[in-house]
Amino acid sequence: MDGDLSPQDKKDLDKFIKFFALKTVQVIVQARLGEKICTRSSSSPTGSDWFNLAIKDIPEVTHEAKKALAGQLPGIGRSMCVEISLKTSEGDSMELETWCLEMNEKCDKDIKVSYTVYNRLSVLLKSLLAITRVTPAYKLSRNQGHDYVILYRIYFGEVQLSGLGEGFQTVRVGVVGTPVGTVTLSCAYRTNLAFMSNRQFERSAPIMGIIVDHFVDPPCSSQRPANMGQPCNYRPPDEEDGGPFAGVQDSQEVCTTSFSTSPPSQLYTSRISYQSPALTGAAELCHPGVNPNQMLHAGKEGGVVLVPAQPPHGADAHLTVDHAPNTPGSSGDDDGLSQSGDGRSDGRRDEGRRSVSPSDPVESLAAFTRKVGAFVNKPSTQVTAASLDLPFAAFAPRGLDSEENDPMVHPPDSPASSSPLQASLHSQGSEGSQQQDDFVMVDFRPAFSKDDLLPMDLGTFYREFQNPPQLASLSLHISSQSMADDLDSLPEKLAVYEKNIDEFDAFVDMLQ
Amino acid sequence: MNCRSEVLEVTVEARQVEEAMLALLHTILLHRSTGKFHYKKEGTYSIGTVGTQDIDCDFIDFTFVRVSSEELDRVIRKAVSEFKDALSNSGSDGMGQISLEFFQKKKSRWPFSDECIPWEVWSIKVNVVNLANEQERQICREKVGEKLGEKVINVVEVINRHEYLPKMPTQSEVDNVFDTSLKDVQPYLYKIAYQITDSLGTSVSTTMRRLIKDTLAL
């Protein structure tokens, strides 16, 4: 089979296939870095661009590819595969696609190696560039960062597609016939992304509390089991560093593959940002194990954080006082319910700062609305909505409260203390009983306030009207009595009507 | 020699027409462009380098790759923009077709003008729809993105059959095969034409505009 091929052609062909394999890996990995790729066209040939395409060489990737190839070339039965997988911050991983560069026996003897094969390999690389932006993993890789990262793994030998789940699709990028076989490039990608449907892969910052693995190593740490992939991330090098991955220096007539980018000074730089300890502390505070229905998320949506009612520790008080100048409600204004309308990543930090403490922190056991400060210890007691004496407390999300705690059924007592915060939230009337005696009590009933004077509330009213008294005319003994009377009086009535029959007839004639 | 003809059909919203056309035309041109040829003395030539660029679409969930050539991009955008205007002027049920034709010039003896012999024609049929609300538009974004992905796979499939391509020309013939007017890349000679049909499918106004890329327009 090789007899027809001149030694020079054979040598060229081997070189082409080797560098085609390396460039294929570069294109695939770069397409999964998560950012847009842009290279410049150059009209003057520098002789350093394989296949006349400006494809950067990331040294680590070249190193990995060469390690996998181990001096061999893709051949019949020996395929080069690039596996792209996804790994979440919780450690779950899933294979997304496998790109295969294979060779089969079908030879094209008549084809010119140095010209036609080279150009066709160039077209195939362009096709690869286009197709790598089309498979589903591209969108996922563009959104990587907080919740997950994309990893790659290069291996040589038998193609393994079992990790792609059921129903995986295959797309063929292209084929190029050569005198020693046909080069085929294809991609098998997963279609069953069910594993991911429970996770949130949004671009926005995660809601506080979901990432609780601050103290776990990020998935891209340098200690990694050998069969896991490398992260698809790359920081352009800032400095000229010798590094372990010097540029590829193969010398040949047609092209060199190396670009003059210097290798990165640090391996596997991770671009995942994790929450700082303070924020995670606050995150845990949001979910300290209380009934989740009582807690409102303070992340993206802003809003109120109902926190357990516990006398603030000395540390807390200290912290809240410290933060007071920064908070909008520190002067006791009615900003307790202010929304965290900040940007998402800042919201976490601000939310910690925005704690508003009542002026008498020790006294306000009963009711308050307080934002949580960072570094606040995890309180242990619970607060139920019923103990919050707010106008809308009855409508606050609550868990499976029993009826005893239901403020709709049992209106809570008026608060014992009057913190400035409460004063702002209540009308003065509802606290009338607690006012000083000098003032005349005004029976002021604003809408929706709880009214202690009226004994009946909505629930009682409803129950009463579910059992109304019987209508008098419908009661049985009375009805039967009247029926008998009616029957008795009938003959008399009939006699009267017969007497007046002429009048009735005249009336009817008038109507017609 | 027969001309290869491929037809692609897409259904898009009015505001997506431009990006969908750019995506497909640029994908085809990516495969049909080489670096600039530099001929050397002994009849050999070297080829310049083609850079590529990822372009995100604003109205479609899609990213496509095009050659890094501002000049080429300008020309294509101009053609697509004219097509889009013609489509929107034709009425709300816009249907149209834009075609990208690769041709070779064959010199004829005087007084006959050069022949333009097409060897590959790509026709992209566009069907414009109007959507009622934002939710439908969001769905349309994703669906059109997927459809364009399928079209790109179709294009790649056709191109990788490696059927007829003009022979690499000598220096004197290069302008008969390639468009050498651009600074940084060298696509095969091409022209873009479009036509608008009304909702009945008949070509009421066949507006044929030819953007001729060769400098000789005899």
Side-chain angles (χ1 to χ4, degrees):
Chain A
M1 192 173 21
D2 289 345
D4 295 341
L5 208 57
S6 72
Q8 181 59 38
D9 275 350
K10 178 79 175 75
K11 194 167 143 217
D12 285 345
L13 189 58
D14 286 347
K15 219 167 32 180
F16 293 168
I17 293 179
K18 173 183 167 190
F19 283 101
F20 180 74
L22 295 176
K23 286 294 180 181
T24 296
V25 175
Q26 289 286 347
V27 168
I28 294 169
V29 173
Q30 288 175 26
R32 300 287 176 261
L33 286 178
E35 46 193 37
K36 295 203 287 190
I37 305 293
C38 178
T39 55
R40 296 178 61 120
S41 303
S42 161
S43 65
S44 45
T46 57
S48 61
D49 298 316
W50 272 98
F51 307 104
N52 309 117
L53 281 174
I55 299 174
K56 250 178 27 184
D57 279 321
I58 300 178
E60 299 157 6
V61 176
T62 307
H63 176 79
E64 289 293 322
K66 285 190 164 176
K67 209 166 70 173
L69 285 171
Q72 294 183 300
L73 285 180
I76 297 159
R78 301 188 315 262
S79 311
M80 191 190 73
C81 301
V82 181
E83 183 187 281
I84 301 290
S85 55
L86 177 148
K87 187 178 175 190
T88 65
S89 49
E90 289 139 11
D92 297 318
S93 71
M94 179 167 77
E95 270 175 51
L96 294 177
E97 43 183 34
T98 301
W99 298 83
C100 309
L101 178 60
E102 300 167 291
M103 189 83 118
N104 68 29
E105 296 109 4
K106 190 166 157 212
C107 302
D108 187 346
K109 296 285 180 61
D110 301 325
I111 203 168
K112 280 191 70 178
V113 168
S114 64
Y115 164 70
T116 311
V117 171
Y118 190 81
N119 286 335
R120 288 186 180 180
L121 288 174
S122 174
V123 170
L124 188 53
L125 267 181
K126 290 174 182 168
S127 300
L128 182 65
L129 280 164
I131 299 282
T132 43
R133 275 66 175 169
V134 158
T135 53
Y138 180 70
K139 285 208 194 79
L140 289 170
S141 67
R142 288 290 296 268
N143 292 338
Q144 68 179 299
H146 268 287
D147 298 313
Y148 61 91
V149 278
I150 304 292
L151 309 177
Y152 72 93
R153 181 172 79 95
I154 309 173
Y155 62 90
F156 194 72
E158 289 277 323
V159 179
Q160 297 152 25
L161 298 178
S162 53
L164 294 173
E166 279 180 24
F168 64 85
Q169 300 272 349
T170 309
V171 59
R172 197 170 75 160
V173 182
V175 295
V176 172
T178 75
V180 299
T182 301
V183 175
T184 312
L185 187 52
S186 61
C187 171
Y189 59 92
R190 167 185 280 272
T191 51
N192 179 16
L193 296 170
F195 155 72
M196 293 171 34
S197 57
N198 299 330
R199 313 264 194 252
Q200 294 179 18
F201 288 111
E202 303 151 1
R203 245 182 249 222
S204 52
I207 296 174
M208 274 170 79
I210 284 187
I211 297 182
V212 197
D213 65 342
H214 168 71
F215 298 107
V216 174
D217 280 342
C220 288
S221 65
S222 39
Q223 285 98 25
R224 182 185 301 101
N227 61 348
M228 266 179 62
Q230 317 300 324
C232 285
N233 53 45
Y234 173 66
R235 200 162 270 158
D238 323 303
E239 59 214 36
E240 292 281 335
D241 194 303
F245 304 129
V248 173
Q249 293 297 338
D250 298 62
S251 61
Q252 61 270 168
E253 306 128 44
V254 182
C255 300
T256 60
T257 59
S258 64
F259 271 72
S260 54
T261 54
S262 46
S265 52
Q266 185 188 352
L267 287 182
Y268 313 127
T269 51
S270 168
R271 270 198 258 121
I272 297 178
S273 59
Y274 280 78
Q275 301 178 20
S276 61
L279 302 174
T280 313
E284 288 185 16
L285 196 57
C286 281
H287 295 265
V290 291
N291 193 327
N293 288 340
Q294 294 174 12
M295 312 305 262
L296 297 172
H297 279 295
K300 283 193 286 188
E301 302 107 68
V304 174
V305 172
L306 308 177
V307 285
Q310 189 187 358
H313 299 184
D316 291 359
H318 172 71
L319 275 168
T320 51
V321 165
D322 265 354
H323 288 131
N326 293 335
T327 66
S330 55
S331 57
D333 294 339
D334 57 343
D335 264 9
L337 293 172
S338 61
Q339 306 286 316
S340 66
D342 303 341
R344 301 184 201 109
S345 54
D346 290 334
R348 285 177 261 159
R349 188 44 99 173
D350 288 344
E351 196 260 353
R353 273 191 253 118
R354 212 183 298 113
S355 50
V356 176
S357 61
S359 55
D360 285 289
V362 179
E363 281 177 30
S364 63
L365 254 183
F368 57 92
T369 305
R370 186 171 79 115
K371 292 266 170 78
V372 132
F375 313 105
V376 172
N377 292 327
K378 200 193 297 192
S380 53
T381 56
Q382 291 198 27
V383 69
T384 61
S387 67
L388 291 170
D389 196 12
L390 299 170
F392 295 94
F395 301 99
R398 54 169 175 268
L400 310 158
D401 283 76
S402 61
E403 225 183 43
E404 301 121 39
N405 291 333
D406 190 347
M408 302 290 267
V409 180
H410 304 287
D413 298 334
S414 299
S417 68
S418 54
S419 72
L421 184 58
Q422 292 173 14
S424 65
L425 296 172
H426 293 267
S427 63
Q428 294 179 0
S430 53
E431 291 192 39
S433 55
Q434 307 302 324
Q435 295 297 336
Q436 299 169 22
D437 294 332
D438 293 339
F439 292 92
V440 173
M441 186 161 123
V442 174
D443 197 359
F444 175 59
R445 292 185 207 173
F448 307 109
S449 75
K450 278 183 305 302
D451 199 343
D452 297 328
L453 304 174
L454 194 64
M456 194 190 301
D457 66 335
L458 187 61
T460 318
F461 172 82
Y462 187 67
R463 253 180 296 279
E464 277 186 25
F465 276 84
Q466 281 197 324
N467 303 316
Q470 282 274 338
L471 282 177
S473 55
L474 289 179
S475 55
L476 206 58
H477 60 279
I478 298 172
S479 64
S480 56
Q481 203 172 10
S482 63
M483 184 80 125
D485 286 339
D486 282 342
L487 283 171
D488 289 340
S489 62
L490 258 179
E492 294 158 14
K493 283 189 190 160
L494 279 174
V496 171
Y497 296 151
E498 276 182 23
K499 250 195 263 169
N500 296 333
I501 200 166
D502 294 328
E503 286 180 34
F504 290 129
D505 284 341
F507 178 67
V508 170
D509 288 335
M510 192 181 66
L511 287 175
Q512 284 175 354
Chain B
M1 167 243 315
N2 292 325
C3 173
R4 196 164 51 238
S5 173
E6 306 294 334
V7 179
L8 306 165
E9 267 193 70
V10 285
T11 301
V12 294
E13 232 195 323
R15 63 181 184 167
Q16 296 171 322
V17 168
E18 194 159 353
E19 285 179 337
M21 295 304 103
L22 284 174
L24 294 176
L25 291 174
H26 271 301
T27 300
I28 299 167
L29 280 167
L30 167 71
H31 291 86
R32 293 284 180 247
S33 302
T34 70
K36 295 286 287 179
F37 281 13
H38 294 267
Y39 286 93
K40 294 183 237 178
K41 276 186 232 165
E42 304 84 33
T44 59
Y45 60 92
S46 54
I47 311 180
T49 302
V50 172
T52 57
Q53 214 172 342
D54 285 341
I55 305 292
D56 286 337
C57 295
D58 292 325
F59 299 111
I60 313 175
D61 278 348
F62 191 65
T63 302
F64 64 92
V65 183
R66 67 154 212 248
V67 292
S68 292
S69 168
E70 292 303 325
E71 276 179 281
L72 182 63
D73 188 39
R74 264 201 297 275
V75 170
I76 303 300
R77 275 181 189 276
K78 184 156 173 279
V80 168
S81 165
E82 284 174 13
F83 172 65
K84 187 188 82 162
D85 292 339
L87 207 54
S88 56
N89 291 337
S90 72
S92 59
D93 281 358
M95 273 202 335
Q97 178 177 296
I98 191 166
S99 58
L100 174 61
E101 179 188 299
F102 292 102
F103 64 95
Q104 258 181 277
K105 271 206 289 194
K106 192 170 156 195
K107 293 263 186 228
S108 305
R109 283 197 300 183
W110 184 92
F112 302 106
S113 58
D114 291 343
E115 269 182 270
C116 293
I117 306 172
W119 52 270
E120 190 174 73
V121 177
W122 297 85
S123 304
I124 306 173
K125 292 200 169 135
V126 181
N127 190 19
V128 180
V129 293
N130 283 321
L131 296 177
N133 61 47
E134 203 49 50
Q135 193 184 4
E136 282 181 29
R137 283 198 196 101
Q138 184 60 35
I139 297 173
C140 188
R141 268 185 80 101
E142 294 163 11
K143 281 216 173 322
V144 171
E146 285 170 26
K147 278 285 168 209
L148 282 182
E150 287 171 27
K151 299 302 161 197
V152 165
I153 294 176
N154 290 352
V155 167
V156 162
E157 210 179 346
V158 168
I159 286 181
N160 273 273
R161 289 187 211 144
H162 297 300
E163 291 166 347
Y164 173 80
L165 275 184
K167 267 192 345 198
M168 283 300 155
T170 57
Q171 190 166 13
S172 53
E173 301 263 295
V174 69
D175 286 317
N176 293 340
V177 175
F178 286 101
D179 173 3
T180 50
S181 61
L182 302 171
K183 282 202 318 281
D184 40 15
V185 294
Q186 190 173 287
Y188 281 98
L189 278 174
Y190 69 93
K191 50 179 121 165
I192 298 179
Y194 62 85
Q195 83 192 64
I196 309 293
T197 54
D198 71 357
S199 51
L200 298 173
T202 59
S203 55
V204 168
S205 56
T206 39
T207 316
M208 295 291 282
R209 289 278 314 277
R210 291 187 174 273
L211 296 169
I212 301 192
K213 288 296 111 195
D214 48 284
T215 51
L216 303 168
L218 291 170

